Amino acid sequence: LTLCSTVCLPQQTLDITSTGGHLMANGEIFNLKGASWFGYETSNNVFHGLWAQDYHFLIDFLKNNSFNAMRVPFYLELMLNDGTPNSINFYQMNADLKGLSSLQVLDKIVAYAATSGIVIMFDMHSFLPGTFMEDGLWYDATHPESTVLSTWEKLVARYANQWNVIGFDLKNEPWGTTWNTGDQSTDWDAAAARIGNHIHSLPGGDRFLIFVEGDLKSPSCADNCFWGENLQGVRTAPVKLDNKNKLVYSPHCYGPAVSDQPYFEVSTFPTNMPPIWTTHYGFVPQFSGNAIVIGEWGGVVSGKNGIWMNAFVDFLISNNSTDTFFWCLNPDSGDTGGLLENDWKTPDMSKLNLLQRLQPHPTVVTYDSDKGICVTNNH
């Protein structure tokens, strides 16, 4: 028996909140099925893959595989100053992107994603192209917090009225930060609240979800945390966002293909993993009332990493935390591969099947010029 419920509201009122440990859209549960599509955080100044495919094909691929969300990494200076995309193929494809700046291309693709029922989260991945490994804080010497706030101001102004832009991932993997130590220059929990509250104070800014990743080593992880995974500090010091029901915690979590850990080498692997995941972040929804959305996970579904991937999916299902952004659509992610093979065309069915098992009933979002935005759940 499939029960179906649809709620339609006029445009501009896709109100997504994070309450009762879940995402809710216009009062209905929102089952998010997301993927990252990267490129705006690289020197290409645009999504990768547009050298191989028309952008409609790539968004359609997500839609046809029932994805309803996309995470878009970017580098700060590109969002602040715009730039020129340098890897788009215009031969028999992408004709309507000709002559556009990086952000104009972004506008086009975000708008097409809206017609496909795909919501967008922007992720401040780095300050300069490709520098995410170095950028361990939410600011640096040449990009003070004031510049970071200006960048979010630009994004809010640009997308306040674009209904399918739903949230902001304040900083990718802030591995150099601390949590609730009283050090203003490194405490990520306090910085996330400051930045989030600033976004919410802007005209049209109060509707956006604020995604906060974990740190790396504060408080220390008895079992190694991955970059962005450590949310243990929430137990004693939750992020003090004024509008608490817009706060989403967004840990990153990977398996042995990305980085081998002692706990992958024990004889009890993978049954040893759920308590570790629970300690690092799995406790958050029940403890805080806010949703968690896994901001990154992924890799090959074979060998030892395949064992990890299946165990992780089992854990997320049992923890009722099945909202994730899979890393990634792109095949050109060295340690994980993508949802598409290197031809940017052939689907990796092992990954798609795993995601179907994880999130079998993603919420369907449709936009209708008469009815507005409709949110449909099949239970």
Side-chain angles (χ1 to χ4, degrees), residues 278-298:
T278 300
T279 300
H280 291 168
Y281 56 80
F283 70 91
V284 166
Q286 229 176 342
F287 178 83
S288 71
N290 291 108
I292 57 171
V293 173
I294 305 296
E296 284 187 21
W297 69 288

Side-chain angles (χ1 to χ4, degrees), residues 4 14 28 30 38 42 60 85 115 143 146 149 151 163 167 189 195 242 283 339 355 363 378:
C4 186
L14 180 63
E28 295 282 301
F30 187 79
F38 71 78
T42 71
D60 291 349
T115 67
H143 306 90
S146 55
L149 295 177
T151 308
W163 69 265
D189 57 307
I195 299 166
D242 291 342
F283 70 91
L339 293 170
L355 285 162
T363 297
N378 298 305

Side-chain angles (χ1 to χ4, degrees), residues 46-67:
V46 73
F47 289 118
H48 285 193
L50 299 180
W51 56 75
Q53 289 290 2
D54 185 275
Y55 72 89
H56 297 90
F57 172 89
L58 294 164
I59 295 291
D60 291 349
F61 168 79
L62 291 174
K63 181 189 179 179
N64 294 338
N65 285 285
S66 68
F67 288 88

